[in-house]
């Protein structure tokens, strides 16, 4: 039987809050990273503050929010994080997925796509979810291609949802259903 938390380039592991906090404190210095990650205002935070945030968020949310570190198979270095956030206490069997690859030197190398394949396998074969959704910003075509490659389909957009550098950008909604995932992952 295949290791459910291992892909071709990465593996998912338990989160070490201190390690992730220190990494995010460095990654957040790159405002492009933070602008790809979410719609909030860009801000700088200490490693201790970020560690406390992750520890609180993950301890209070389980089991509705399985959350993992992403590690490179080649050298076990921390690449980022990925998590599922189950909607409405499991009743509709839907979840939102969030992912971040922190160091720009690790972008466009397939790590994010591989991690997404792993989390989708976990979502559909272990958690028995029906649907996984995400949102992505119009100004992040690399992420959009990655999500399309892993089977996500465009489902909608929120026009002019975000202001960045004096310009309005759309936010796209993408999703994948279990049946769609099963078609390409028998």
């Amino acid at each position: 039987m295949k290791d459910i938390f291992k892909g071709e380039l990465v593996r998912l592991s338990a989160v070490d809050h201190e390690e992730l906090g220190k990494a995010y404190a460095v990654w957040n210095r790159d405002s492009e990273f933070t602008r790809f990650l979410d719609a909030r205002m860009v801000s700088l935070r200490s490693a201790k503050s970020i560690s406390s945030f992750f520890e609180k968020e993950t301890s209070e949310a389980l089991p509705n929010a399985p959350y993992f570190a992403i590690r490179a198979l080649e050298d076990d270095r921390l690449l980022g994080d990925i998590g599922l956030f189950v909607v409405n206490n499991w009743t509709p069997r839907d979840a939102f997925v969030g992912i971040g690859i922190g160091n720009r030197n690790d972008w466009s190398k397939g790590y994010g796509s591989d991690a997404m394949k792993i989390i989708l396998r976990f979502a559909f074969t272990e958690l028995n979810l029906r649907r996984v959704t995400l949102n992505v910003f119009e100004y992040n075509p690399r992420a959009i291609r990655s999500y399309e490659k892993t089977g996500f389909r465009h489902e909608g957009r929120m026009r002019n949802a975000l202001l960045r550098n004096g310009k309005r950008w759309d936010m796209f909604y993408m999703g994948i259903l279990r049946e769609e995932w099963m078609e390409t992952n028998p």
Side-chain angles (χ1 to χ4, degrees):
M1 183 173 263
K2 187 174 181 171
D3 181 350
I4 193 157
F5 294 115
K6 186 176 177 184
E8 296 186 19
L9 300 172
V10 303
R11 71 179 180 88
L12 304 186
S13 71
V15 172
D16 177 330
H17 299 108
E18 281 188 39
E19 178 189 35
L20 195 58
K22 287 177 185 174
Y24 259 91
V26 172
W27 297 337
N28 281 342
R29 292 180 199 150
D30 182 346
S31 62
E32 187 175 11
F33 167 73
T34 59
R35 287 179 167 182
F36 286 151
L37 201 58
D38 66 37
R40 289 181 288 197
M41 175 184 67
V42 174
S43 64
L44 297 173
R45 295 173 52 200
S46 71
K48 184 177 181 181
S49 168
I50 297 168
S51 296
S52 296
F53 169 80
F54 282 129
E55 187 169 15
K56 182 178 183 232
E57 287 295 306
T58 57
S59 66
E60 290 178 1
L62 292 176
N64 286 355
Y67 184 63
F68 305 97
I70 303 169
R71 297 195 168 278
L73 286 180
E74 62 194 10
D75 58 8
D76 205 43
R77 77 183 178 285
L78 178 65
L79 298 168
D81 59 333
I82 191 166
L84 291 168
F85 307 93
V86 177
V87 179
N88 294 329
N89 294 324
W90 298 96
T91 305
R93 310 222 59 81
D94 290 353
F96 176 86
V97 65
I99 184 172
I101 302 294
N103 187 325
R104 68 174 51 236
N105 294 329
D106 294 322
W107 297 353
S108 298
K109 301 227 165 102
Y111 296 130
S113 295
D114 199 38
M116 189 62 77
K117 288 176 186 175
I118 297 167
I119 202 80
L120 290 175
R121 181 174 62 220
F122 178 71
F124 295 129
T125 66
E126 292 293 310
L127 300 181
N128 193 28
L129 293 178
R130 179 188 70 88
R131 166 193 194 80
V132 175
T133 61
L134 58 82
N135 60 38
V136 61
F137 309 120
E138 176 184 17
Y139 56 76
N140 194 351
R142 187 180 59 252
I144 294 166
R145 282 191 306 275
S146 174
Y147 301 144
E148 290 170 341
K149 188 166 67 172
T150 55
F152 283 86
R153 297 182 184 180
H154 292 264
E155 296 184 335
R157 74 170 52 207
M158 184 182 294
R159 295 174 299 138
N160 291 326
L162 194 57
L163 177 66
R164 293 286 192 235
N165 293 334
K167 181 179 177 189
R168 286 277 173 193
W169 298 91
D170 293 353
M171 182 166 54
F172 300 140
Y173 293 94
M174 300 177 76
I176 183 170
L177 301 174
R178 184 177 194 279
E179 309 86 72
E180 294 165 346
W181 181 84
M182 292 295 291
E183 288 174 10
T184 57
N185 298 276

